[in-house]
């Protein structure tokens, strides 16, 4: 795992000066006002925020009667793992403040998870792509491993099953033999080639006090979920853009065996083929309005315009978002989040690029 902290003199890395200030009750190692006490029902993120704000860059070890205590440096931080099933509360609305979210992720009385918010914020998933949480390595029974502590990797994968190619034969005739790949294709993650994505934000203590610790935690949780959806899109779109996709045509889609209602377009920042029909966005490949277009959505995480049967693609993601919240000063904490992901494309024949110039 890469280095996840940036050294800051005197804070969070246990320098002698920081320890002295913390022990004496002054300077950057001391907070005049501690974080509010934990309450029943608090989210993990809110608890980590409180713990980080009260963290000190050392711990004391008792070395026995008659001996001086030993002061050992440590990172002034807290954190943990946010699973995709972690609950995301509706952002708090109080005292005239309304928090707007770019997509509808909560219905009245509904409890949603981090994975739900990611799906709501993902254009690819809205079009039919799959989000596959990776399975954590499983411990192998020592009886099977000869007493050695070992773990078994369970690879995430997407497997497609297509129609068997029945063909006409003469009476008592035999069909041509085809490979298994004629009816199925599979993409399996390569753990050595996972993409690690990271997000870092500074959270001022003043903001926590102004709108409330719980409100900030709820907003950050929602933002992490929406950001996870964007990360999934970016991973899949980058993989498809890097592939040598064929130009879009109705004939190629028919040859691939997809139904027209499976097709969706995602229009990137170049805007290729974008058009408006009856107030709805579509992707059009012809300058003739009578040809119509394919239902589309916009994305800032894509350059070209892609047309695809998106249910044939997936993105595998780590089962949790790792969170580290560091106390860097008396007035703020810095939160860093990491996740691993990888696009799964069993067969790129189900995606096409929209031409830059309409026919």
């Amino acid at each position: 795992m890469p280095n996840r902290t940036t050294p800051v003199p005197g804070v969070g890395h246990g320098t002698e000066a920081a320890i002295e200030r913390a022990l004496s009750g002054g300077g950057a190692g001391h907070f005049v006002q501690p974080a509010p006490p934990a309450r029943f029902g608090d989210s993990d993120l809110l608890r980590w925020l409180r713990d980080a704000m009260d963290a000190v860059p050392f711990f004391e070890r008792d070395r026995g009667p008659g001996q001086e205590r030993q002061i050992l440096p440590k990172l002034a931080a807290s954190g943990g793992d946010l699973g995709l099933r972690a609950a995301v509360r509706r952002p708090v609305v109080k005292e005239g403040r309304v928090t707007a979210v770019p997509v509808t992720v909560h219905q009245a009385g509904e409890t949603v998870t981090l994975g739900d918010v990611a799906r709501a914020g993902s254009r690819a998933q809205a079009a039919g792509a799959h989000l596959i949480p990776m399975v954590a390595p499983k411990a192998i029974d020592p009886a099977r491993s000869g007493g050695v502590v070992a773990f078994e990797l369970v690879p995430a994968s997407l497997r497609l099953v297509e129609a068997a190619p029945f063909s006409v034969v003469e009476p008592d005739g035999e069909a041509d033999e085809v490979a298994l790949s004629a009816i199925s294709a599979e993409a399996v993650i390569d753990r050595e080639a996972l993409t690690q994505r990271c997000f870092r934000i500074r959270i001022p203590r003043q903001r926590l006090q102004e709108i409330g610790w719980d409100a900030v935690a709820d907003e950050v949780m929602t933002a992490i979920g929406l950001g996870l959806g964007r990360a999934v899109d970016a991973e899949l779109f980058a993989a498809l853009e890097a592939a040598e996709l064929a130009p879009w045509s109705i004939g190629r889609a028919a040859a691939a065996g997809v139904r027209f209602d499976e097709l969706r377009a995602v229009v990137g920042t170049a805007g290729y083929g974008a058009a408006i029909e009856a107030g709805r966005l579509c992707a059009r490949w012809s300058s003739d309005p009578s040809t119509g277009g394919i239902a589309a959505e916009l994305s800032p995480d894509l350059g070209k315009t892609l047309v695809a049967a998106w249910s044939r693609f997936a993105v595998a993601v780590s089962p949790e978002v790792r969170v580290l919240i560091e106390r860097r000063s008396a007035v703020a904490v810095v939160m860093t989040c990491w996740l691993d992901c990888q696009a799964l494309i069993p067969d790129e024949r189900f995606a096409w690029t929209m031409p830059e110039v309409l026919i």
Side-chain angles (χ1 to χ4, degrees):
M1 194 66 69
N3 179 24
R4 293 175 169 171
T5 61
T6 301
V8 177
V11 179
H13 287 263
T15 65
E16 294 182 2
I19 294 175
E20 287 300 323
R21 286 195 297 271
L23 288 173
S24 62
H30 174 66
F31 286 113
V32 175
Q33 195 174 27
R39 296 174 300 179
F40 178 76
D42 284 348
S43 67
D44 287 340
L45 185 61
L46 179 54
R47 177 169 54 83
W48 298 335
L49 274 172
R50 290 192 173 112
D51 291 346
M53 274 296 187
D54 290 337
V56 292
F58 68 92
F59 68 91
E60 302 179 39
R61 188 173 73 176
D62 187 1
R63 295 195 292 183
Q67 297 191 42
E68 293 184 0
R69 60 183 179 175
Q70 185 178 18
I71 306 300
L72 300 175
K74 72 175 183 68
L75 189 66
S78 184
D81 293 335
L82 286 174
L84 296 181
R85 295 183 179 180
V88 179
R89 301 192 307 176
R90 183 193 297 268
V92 176
V93 178
K94 62 180 180 181
E95 297 179 355
R97 290 192 179 98
V98 176
T99 301
V101 179
V103 295
T104 301
V105 296
H106 289 83
Q107 301 295 334
E110 183 183 30
T111 299
V112 299
T113 66
L114 198 64
D116 294 331
V117 179
R119 292 181 184 92
S122 167
R123 274 67 161 181
Q125 291 180 80
H130 306 280
L131 179 67
I132 303 178
M134 301 179 202
V135 179
K138 296 183 177 180
I140 299 177
D141 187 345
R144 290 174 50 204
S145 61
V148 177
V149 177
F151 293 86
E152 178 182 8
L153 294 179
V154 182
S157 67
L158 175 65
R159 190 169 183 84
L160 304 181
V161 178
E162 299 296 335
F166 283 89
S167 59
V168 176
V169 295
E170 297 295 330
D172 300 325
E174 294 185 1
D176 294 333
E177 182 181 295
V178 297
L180 182 62
S181 59
I183 61 170
S184 64
E186 184 177 30
V188 182
I189 66 164
D190 178 2
R191 290 185 178 270
E192 299 300 322
L194 292 174
T195 302
Q196 185 177 79
R197 296 182 180 269
C198 180
F199 161 73
R200 177 170 287 173
I201 187 173
R202 183 177 184 271
I203 303 175
R205 186 181 186 86
Q206 181 181 0
R207 188 62 175 165
L208 292 166
Q209 294 171 342
E210 284 178 349
I211 70 171
W213 292 66
D214 54 347
V216 171
D218 293 341
E219 288 181 5
V220 171
M221 278 289 289
T222 300
I224 290 174
L226 294 173
L228 177 57
R230 289 278 302 272
V232 166
D233 285 354
E235 183 71 13
L236 180 56
F237 295 158
L240 288 172
E241 284 192 296
E244 296 182 0
L245 301 180
W248 159 258
S249 75
I250 285 286
R252 289 190 177 96
V258 301
R259 300 187 307 272
F260 187 78
D261 61 7
E262 291 183 82
L263 299 171
R264 291 292 183 274
V266 179
V267 178
T269 54
Y272 298 152
I276 306 296
E277 292 183 356
R280 294 180 180 274
L281 179 68
C282 69
R284 183 183 294 164
W285 60 96
S286 172
S287 56
D288 182 0
S290 65
T291 61
I294 297 172
E297 186 53 88
L298 300 172
S299 173
D301 301 304
L302 176 66
K304 304 175 183 179
T305 294
L306 297 179
V307 181
W310 295 95
S311 63
R312 265 68 167 193
F313 306 125
V315 176
V317 298
S318 49
E320 65 280 319
V321 176
R322 183 156 294 177
V323 179
L324 176 67
I325 305 176
E326 301 172 83
R327 199 195 75 183
R328 297 283 185 85
S329 71
V331 295
V333 293
V334 174
M335 185 182 76
T336 310
C337 303
W338 298 265
L339 63 88
D340 295 325
C341 57
Q342 189 172 101
L344 298 176
I345 304 175
D347 193 336
E348 61 190 35
R349 292 183 305 113
F350 297 106
W352 304 267
T353 56
M354 189 64 70
E356 300 179 18
V357 180
L358 300 183
I359 301 173

